[in-house]
Amino acid sequence: MEIISTNIGRPTTVIWNGKNEQTGIFKYPVEEPLFLGKTDVAKDSVIDRKHHAGINKACFLFSADHYDYWKKLYPDLEWKWGMFGENLSVSGLDESIVRIGDIYKIGSALVQISQPREPCYKLGIRFNDQGILKKYIDYGYPGTYVRILEEGEVRKGERFILVEQSTNELTVKDFFQLLFMRKKDQKILELALTNLALPEYKRERLRKYQAKP
């Protein structure tokens, strides 16, 4: 995997339900390296810290390999890296292979794959189409957040070095599908409940789908 673009956002005012609202999802490529801090990316704009940033969502990665798919669906948009609100556009990122808990060295930072991105209405605002939320879920390749184990700088062109593969077989794609599929795969569900440090509200949400003994 290799960083294709480093992206930073600035507060952008949008209208949602008739009210002005700010968002940091409008991110654009920058030439300078990014500093990955424990809870966010330095100089990036994070408006809603309840749902973005923090220990388990410090930096968002999206696969550059999926851009062609989305460009065909939205050919009229002005396409640049950072369209999905990602800080790092990464080639070779395959959510069906990358495991939750994998640890990578990038530049001087050490990061751990933490959880997939769950789309919200702000992605719909970015694409001028709230219908993208269902398309995003159906497509099943959501990108991933990382936890920052060691803070450091990363820059365009740097490659990901796998330091430690998670013993947990749950992939980013598995976890994403588990969150949204109506009929839960019991093996994947058990992997998630056993191995992941989930917030209690999400753990309770998933427990409801466990098969009765």
Side-chain angles (χ1 to χ4, degrees), residues 1 56-57 93-104 111-118 142-147 149 162 164-179 188 191-199 202-203 206:
M1 297 191 294
N56 293 316
K57 296 182 177 181
L93 170 60
D94 186 341
E95 295 93 326
S96 67
I97 295 175
V98 173
R99 297 179 180 183
I100 303 294
D102 283 351
I103 298 174
Y104 292 91
V111 307
Q112 184 175 41
I113 304 298
S114 55
Q115 63 188 77
R117 186 261 200 89
E118 298 177 56
T144 184
Y145 286 103
V146 292
R147 185 181 297 113
L149 302 182
L162 181 62
E164 182 180 332
Q165 185 173 55
S166 175
T167 56
N168 170 25
E169 296 180 1
L170 190 74
T171 67
V172 173
K173 185 175 174 66
D174 286 339
F175 190 11
F176 185 68
Q177 291 180 329
L178 182 66
L179 292 172
I188 295 175
L191 280 172
L193 289 172
T194 302
N195 295 287
L196 301 186
L198 298 169
K202 193 166 288 186
R203 184 172 293 278
L206 291 176

Side-chain angles (χ1 to χ4, degrees), residues 37-153:
K38 286 290 186 179
T39 59
D40 56 21
V41 176
K43 300 181 181 179
D44 191 25
S45 174
V46 181
I47 307 298
D48 179 8
R49 288 186 174 268
K50 180 179 178 180
H51 299 102
H52 303 283
I55 296 297
N56 293 316
K57 296 182 177 181
C59 179
F60 176 48
L61 285 55
F62 192 80
S63 178
D65 303 349
H66 301 316
Y67 264 66
D68 284 345
Y69 172 85
W70 291 105
K71 284 179 180 179
K72 291 176 182 176
L73 294 183
Y74 296 93
D76 297 330
L77 294 180
E78 184 180 349
W79 282 89
K80 294 181 179 179
W81 300 119
M83 288 288 289
F84 294 87
E86 76 270 19
N87 295 111
L88 301 178
S89 306
V90 180
S91 68
L93 170 60
D94 186 341
E95 295 93 326
S96 67
I97 295 175
V98 173
R99 297 179 180 183
I100 303 294
D102 283 351
I103 298 174
Y104 292 91
K105 184 74 172 177
I106 329 169
S108 59
L110 189 69
V111 307
Q112 184 175 41
I113 304 298
S114 55
Q115 63 188 77
R117 186 261 200 89
E118 298 177 56
C120 72
Y121 69 94
K122 290 181 180 177
L123 182 65
I125 290 173
R126 181 69 180 86
F127 278 74
N128 196 31
D129 174 29
Q130 290 300 320
I132 193 176
L133 303 188
K134 184 178 186 306
K135 294 172 187 174
Y136 193 92
I137 291 168
D138 290 344
Y139 185 55
Y141 290 87
T144 184
Y145 286 103
V146 292
R147 185 181 297 113
I148 311 303
L149 302 182
E150 293 179 8
E151 297 181 332
E153 280 191 347

Side-chain angles (χ1 to χ4, degrees), residues 178 184-193 206 209-210:
L178 182 66
K184 310 296 185 186
D185 183 301
Q186 290 297 307
K187 179 182 177 182
I188 295 175
L189 179 61
E190 190 61 32
L191 280 172
L193 289 172
L206 291 176
Y209 295 95
Q210 282 184 294

